[in-house]
Amino acid sequence: MREVRDRALFDLDDGPVTPSNRADLTATTRLLNVLLASLVVSSLQYEQHALAVRSPSARPLAELLFAGADRDRGDARLVATRIRQLGCAGDYDPQHLSARSRVAFRAFPDGDVVGIVTQNLVGARILVQTLQEAVRWIGDDDPTTRRLLERLLEAKETQADELSAQPAQQQAATARPGARPGT
């Protein structure tokens, strides 16, 4: 018991990072800053795409995209909080975001629903792959970061699943004028 207390007293300025955390903190925060940039870029893309979807029949898609933007912003905050807990700062500098992001920002003309859905699905799938790789890389070295990444991965897989249903619904509505998506 005394040994555990002595280790906890060591480097109190490190906050939640104790000597039992075996992660390479520099590499971990670099990885988390890549995820942070990817989530911020993804959220901006969702937001712009939601605003580009104008037709009343595509309103559910716009709402899905706005929700995706909100979710990614919230997830970015969680990642930035973890970076801070590890003793570093999240890099939100706009000049660095697109260079670090694994998600490429792409704009579409108003109403290009198929392009918009496809681009956001690709972005979600890129984040799924990135999170899967990150979970495997972290392993047991930093259980708190791993659990955060696993929660983000589950949410991003759900988001990709929701988006994957969209092209078929939009194509069905286009093929049958007057039909509502999902009917």
Side-chain angles (χ1 to χ4, degrees), residues 13-100:
D13 292 341
D14 289 344
V17 179
T18 64
S20 63
N21 185 319
R22 298 181 313 222
D24 176 343
L25 297 181
T26 302
T28 300
T29 56
R30 194 175 322 124
L31 167 72
L32 291 175
N33 266 310
V34 166
L35 287 170
L36 175 64
S38 299
L39 288 164
V40 169
V41 169
S42 178
S43 74
L44 293 171
Q45 181 168 259
Y46 274 121
E47 187 88 18
Q48 180 166 353
H49 290 170
L51 293 168
V53 176
R54 294 180 156 210
S55 73
S57 65
R59 182 145 299 139
L61 173 60
E63 290 171 7
L64 177 69
L65 296 172
F66 279 129
D70 292 342
R71 193 173 314 134
D72 281 358
R73 269 193 299 281
D75 290 348
R77 272 192 232 80
L78 293 173
V79 170
T81 299
R82 185 61 186 155
I83 293 169
R84 184 187 47 74
Q85 290 170 344
L86 294 174
C88 295
D91 186 355
Y92 279 96
D93 186 336
Q95 292 178 337
H96 303 143
L97 286 174
S98 62
R100 276 195 334 274

Side-chain angles (χ1 to χ4, degrees), residues 1-175:
M1 189 70 164
R2 181 168 171 77
E3 181 183 335
V4 171
R5 179 172 166 64
D6 290 345
R7 283 191 320 212
L9 289 170
F10 185 72
D11 290 330
L12 287 176
D13 292 341
D14 289 344
V17 179
T18 64
S20 63
N21 185 319
R22 298 181 313 222
D24 176 343
L25 297 181
T26 302
T28 300
T29 56
R30 194 175 322 124
L31 167 72
L32 291 175
N33 266 310
V34 166
L35 287 170
L36 175 64
S38 299
L39 288 164
V40 169
V41 169
S42 178
S43 74
L44 293 171
Q45 181 168 259
Y46 274 121
E47 187 88 18
Q48 180 166 353
H49 290 170
L51 293 168
V53 176
R54 294 180 156 210
S55 73
S57 65
R59 182 145 299 139
L61 173 60
E63 290 171 7
L64 177 69
L65 296 172
F66 279 129
D70 292 342
R71 193 173 314 134
D72 281 358
R73 269 193 299 281
D75 290 348
R77 272 192 232 80
L78 293 173
V79 170
T81 299
R82 185 61 186 155
I83 293 169
R84 184 187 47 74
Q85 290 170 344
L86 294 174
C88 295
D91 186 355
Y92 279 96
D93 186 336
Q95 292 178 337
H96 303 143
L97 286 174
S98 62
R100 276 195 334 274
S101 174
R102 288 199 171 174
V103 176
F105 186 94
R106 184 167 171 213
F108 289 89
D110 287 356
D112 185 357
V113 173
V114 173
I116 286 170
V117 170
T118 300
Q119 178 66 17
N120 285 289
L121 178 56
V122 167
R125 288 173 53 89
I126 287 169
L127 280 165
V128 164
Q129 290 177 55
T130 301
L131 287 161
Q132 288 170 339
E133 293 166 5
V135 166
R136 283 191 285 277
W137 181 78
I138 291 288
D140 293 330
D141 290 346
D142 183 349
T144 303
T145 300
R146 186 191 66 239
R147 283 193 312 275
L148 169 64
L149 296 174
E150 289 170 342
R151 284 192 307 270
L152 297 177
L153 173 60
E154 184 177 359
K156 192 51 70 175
E157 286 177 342
T158 299
Q159 199 172 26
D161 187 47
E162 292 168 352
L163 285 166
S164 69
Q166 292 300 311
Q169 291 178 359
Q170 293 301 323
Q171 289 171 352
T174 305

